[in-house]
Amino acid sequence: QFDLLAERRFAPFFWTQFLGAGNDNIYKNALVIFVAFHASTLTALDPNALVNVAGAVFIAPFVLLSATAGQLADKFEKSRLIRWIKLFEIAIMVVGLAGFWRRDLALLFTALALLGVHSTLFGPVKYAILPQQLRPEELIGGNGLVEMGTFVAILLGTIAGGVVVALQPGGPVLAGGLTVAIAVAGYVVSRRIPPTPAVAPQLR
């Protein structure tokens, strides 16, 4: 299955989702550590409560929007939809960078909620595109690579977010800048994903 990493019908998509999964976790972990160490100077709320709120804010879009995201994945051509989602990610990370720069919890949590929306939108496309680009005998290997890539990206992103945000001085801003750079890289890579026709363009 590793031969698929040299194929245009798989590799650009693989690296797009890899960068996206890593970026989610860089931002989330950077935010959690930033809140844990700096909340007392930014708000009267308890840092532990804020960390729990952060988890809820990120997960809520999955509960609210997953069904709609699945319909969008069926209705629209998938490579174009992925590119729009990646542009959305860049905008979100710019908001997050502004939040770190200004030490503004409202901006930081807004970006986190929007990041949850981004991940919710990308999830159905992530799995729906593989059966259209891979042959039946390649699907198990392709799915395995995507899952492996996702969990490696989560691990690396969690480590990177914690390390970068802890750098002094300017760690939080550096973490925000890193997420913007990775989002841009994800968009650039996504432009190589081959066209993948909609399976239900008439869907309302």
Side-chain angles (χ1 to χ4, degrees):
Q1 67 267 26
F2 290 100
D3 291 343
L4 292 172
L5 293 173
E7 301 267 355
R8 186 186 168 194
R9 60 199 171 97
F10 182 81
F13 163 73
F14 174 86
W15 292 113
T16 297
Q17 66 86 28
F18 182 90
L19 291 169
N23 217 19
D24 283 356
N25 287 275
I26 290 173
Y27 184 82
K28 284 191 296 182
N29 208 40
L31 174 60
V32 165
I33 292 176
F34 178 78
V35 165
F37 284 92
H38 299 283
S40 61
T41 64
L42 304 174
T43 178
L45 296 174
D46 178 59
N48 290 327
L50 282 175
V51 169
N52 290 328
V53 169
V57 164
F58 184 77
I59 292 298
F62 289 89
V63 178
L64 299 173
L65 301 175
S66 287
T68 302
Q71 290 181 317
L72 291 173
D74 283 343
K75 182 174 178 63
F76 295 106
E77 193 274 310
K78 292 180 181 61
S79 66
R80 183 180 302 173
L81 182 60
I82 289 172
R83 287 193 290 273
W84 279 108
I85 293 171
K86 292 291 115 180
L87 286 172
F88 181 43
E89 182 186 6
I90 294 172
I92 295 167
M93 293 300 108
V94 170
V95 174
L97 173 58
F100 281 124
W101 180 273
R102 297 181 58 182
R103 300 170 67 87
D104 187 324
L105 285 179
L107 282 177
L108 289 168
F109 275 81
T110 297
L112 183 64
L114 292 174
L115 197 59
V117 174
H118 158 270
S119 298
T120 303
L121 293 173
F122 188 74
V125 188
K126 170 180 173 179
Y127 293 106
I129 197 172
L130 290 179
Q132 291 182 259
Q133 292 292 350
L134 302 183
R135 294 186 291 272
E137 63 271 19
E138 295 172 327
L139 270 176
I140 292 177
N143 273 315
L145 285 172
V146 169
E147 288 298 297
M148 176 271 295
T150 298
F151 284 105
V152 169
I154 289 171
L155 176 62
L156 294 178
T158 301
I159 294 170
V163 169
V164 174
V165 78
L167 295 175
Q168 297 297 333
V173 174
L174 185 59
L178 178 62
T179 62
V180 173
I182 293 174
V184 171
Y187 171 73
V188 171
V189 174
S190 74
R191 293 185 62 84
R192 291 283 297 162
I193 298 174
T196 309
V199 297
Q202 75 290 347
L203 185 66
R204 296 182 62 183

